[in-house]
Amino acid sequence: MTQSAQIGDGTRAVRAGLPEALKNEPTLPGPVFAAHFHLPGDVSGPYTYGRDDNPTWTHLERAIGELEAPGQEDVDTLVFASGMAAISAVLFSQLKAGDVVVLPSDGYQVFPLVRQQLTEFGIEVRTAPTGGDAQLDVLDGAKLLWIETPSNPGLDVCDVRRLAEAAHACGALVAVDNTLATPLGQRPLELGADFSVASGTKQLTGHGDILLGYVTCRDAELTASVRGWRKIVGAIPGPMEAWLAHRSLATLQLRAERQNANALALALALRDRDDIEGLRYPGLPDDPSHKIAAQQMRRFGCVVSFTLPTRARAERFMKALTLVDDATSFGGVRSTAERRRRWGGDDVSEGFIRFSAGAEDPDDLVADVLRALDEAAV
């Protein structure tokens, strides 16, 4: 049952997607492991074959839908095996040869591979950076606009309402990657998007042990096309992963509050240091993205980025950290950071650091980072 839009985020997170209470039944039913279901006679009912649907997915999909669009009965969510599976499902279910798609030039580092595949399928790809709403300049004739805000890893923010209105006026659909913000930080459908897409691998589930993606959409026809793509490709999550994700949602508000507070505390501690450049966090009042972010975001996320003078300095900094894991991805309860250039896909300098604040005590985390910076300078 969809929760009211009036309740708080914490209440919604712990109750989202739960079935009606039944005597002697668990609050959150365990994962259903089934490739097929009893199906005598004509095909009917919600569960027929494991690639099409699963009761464990259903509970999770309802839960995510309640977080993405509280109180909205007409919203559907589809879960996928990963964030890239969800992204691919929207792109390849909506686009065909001859169409035009607009992508962010500063988005997730796998997008160059996505662009290559789209181009090979005869789809024209245009790109523009997130900041300054630059994608407005290349919208003419587009079938789909893809927005990533805040952008990963640069943390630029664009005006989703403005871009969505312009795209719809041009006849284009709008998809927003909501991974970094999470539904507790931003609700793209309320801002005018047709699709809210995210990797549930990150802060949504928050423990760094699940690969998951999802697509939330209000239009039944669009949802059906994405569902059809999932069926054809088979990019489905396992029931155990879906159950673990739903279990993890209950602590989303608790985790997000601590992690986002830690990110702000770290950004404030770094803002006056002369050994770093390009500090970015949308929650900082003087960040270039803060004004727009404050208009459309309810929380500013757990990721901070900054640049050290050299690759060697950055590597010394990473090695000196004791409470922070050198790992990719972000959003986990344990802080992580990485020298992002090592992957080669992002347009960042050799000393660029993407830092994901975890749920450690803020004083401990900030002290560890400042000490590591001091040691790296020697």
Side-chain angles (χ1 to χ4, degrees):
M1 181 180 296
T2 301
Q3 297 289 336
S4 166
Q6 305 305 314
I7 63 175
D9 286 341
T11 303
R12 182 174 297 109
V14 301
R15 305 293 306 178
L18 298 181
E20 295 292 339
L22 296 175
K23 184 177 181 179
N24 303 128
E25 293 294 325
T27 304
L28 176 62
V32 175
F33 299 99
H36 58 263
F37 300 82
H38 289 296
L39 195 64
D42 294 335
V43 176
S44 62
Y47 306 112
T48 59
Y49 186 64
R51 191 180 69 251
D52 298 339
D53 235 325
N54 178 288
T56 310
W57 303 353
T58 300
H59 295 312
L60 175 60
E61 289 171 342
R62 289 174 180 168
I64 294 173
E66 289 170 16
L67 297 175
E68 283 278 354
Q72 302 297 308
E73 298 284 351
D74 58 344
V75 167
D76 287 308
T77 296
L78 301 171
V79 290
F80 290 82
S82 68
M84 278 309 305
I87 290 171
S88 299
V90 173
L91 290 171
F92 293 108
S93 69
Q94 303 306 311
L95 299 169
K96 63 181 185 303
D99 286 339
V100 175
V101 61
V102 176
L103 302 178
S105 60
D106 53 348
Y108 182 44
Q109 57 107 358
V110 178
F111 265 121
L113 296 177
V114 174
R115 179 176 184 173
Q116 178 182 342
Q117 189 64 65
L118 290 167
T119 301
E120 290 177 359
F121 284 173
I123 297 163
E124 179 184 344
V125 180
R126 301 173 187 165
T127 62
T130 299
D133 300 340
Q135 290 174 307
L136 288 172
D137 296 334
V138 291
L139 273 179
D140 187 45
K143 173 69 180 298
L144 176 67
L145 166 64
W146 193 277
I147 297 170
E148 183 177 293
T149 183
S151 62
N152 173 26
L155 301 181
D156 273 323
V157 172
C158 60
D159 188 332
V160 176
R161 288 187 182 91
R162 182 186 183 199
L163 284 164
E165 289 174 2
H168 290 154
C170 294
L173 297 169
V174 178
V176 175
D177 187 327
N178 205 34
T179 302
L180 199 147
T182 81
L184 266 60
Q186 182 172 264
R187 295 173 183 157
L189 298 187
E190 293 181 0
L191 299 173
D194 300 291
F195 302 97
S196 181
V197 188
S199 167
T201 307
K202 312 298 194 297
Q203 193 177 27
L204 187 81
T205 57
H207 291 81
D209 53 8
I210 301 169
L211 288 175
L212 191 84
Y214 71 85
V215 177
T216 300
C217 182
R218 183 174 283 116
D219 184 282
E221 186 174 342
L222 294 177
T223 301
S225 63
V226 177
R227 187 189 300 274
W229 181 263
R230 182 178 70 175
K231 178 182 176 71
I232 293 169
V233 176
I236 58 172
M240 191 66 193
E241 285 78 7
W243 184 85
L244 286 170
H246 197 169
R247 186 278 312 269
S248 298
L249 287 184
T251 60
L252 174 58
Q253 189 262 357
L254 297 172
R255 290 184 281 105
E257 289 294 334
R258 171 58 75 87
Q259 291 172 265
N260 294 4
N262 279 354
L264 179 58
L266 178 61
L268 289 170
L270 296 177
R271 68 195 306 192
D272 295 325
R273 290 187 66 104
D274 58 9
D275 55 348
I276 68 170
E277 297 178 351
L279 173 66
R280 296 299 304 272
Y281 181 65
L284 284 174
D286 56 351
D287 186 271
S289 293
H290 181 74
K291 182 178 180 180
I292 296 174
Q295 294 171 357
Q296 66 189 23
M297 297 183 73
R298 298 159 59 241
R299 294 175 176 85
F300 298 108
C302 63
V303 177
V304 177
S305 67
F306 56 91
T307 301
L308 293 171
T310 64
R311 170 176 176 170
R313 184 86 160 261
E315 290 177 344
R316 289 199 302 271
F317 165 69
M318 292 300 308
K319 187 176 181 180
L321 291 165
T322 60
L323 297 180
V324 182
D325 295 334
D326 189 340
T328 194
S329 196
F330 56 85
V333 292
R334 289 172 290 278
S335 290
T336 60
E338 68 174 334
R339 191 182 66 80
R340 191 65 187 165
R341 184 66 179 174
R342 65 184 180 177
W343 292 96
D346 296 310
D347 185 17
V348 295
S349 66
E350 291 286 357
F352 181 92
I353 301 293
R354 185 181 70 182
F355 193 103
S356 174
E360 298 87 358
D361 287 314
D363 290 346
D364 295 336
L365 180 61
V366 170
D368 188 49
V369 173
L370 296 182
R371 179 196 50 75
L373 285 170
D374 291 341
E375 290 186 13
V378 177

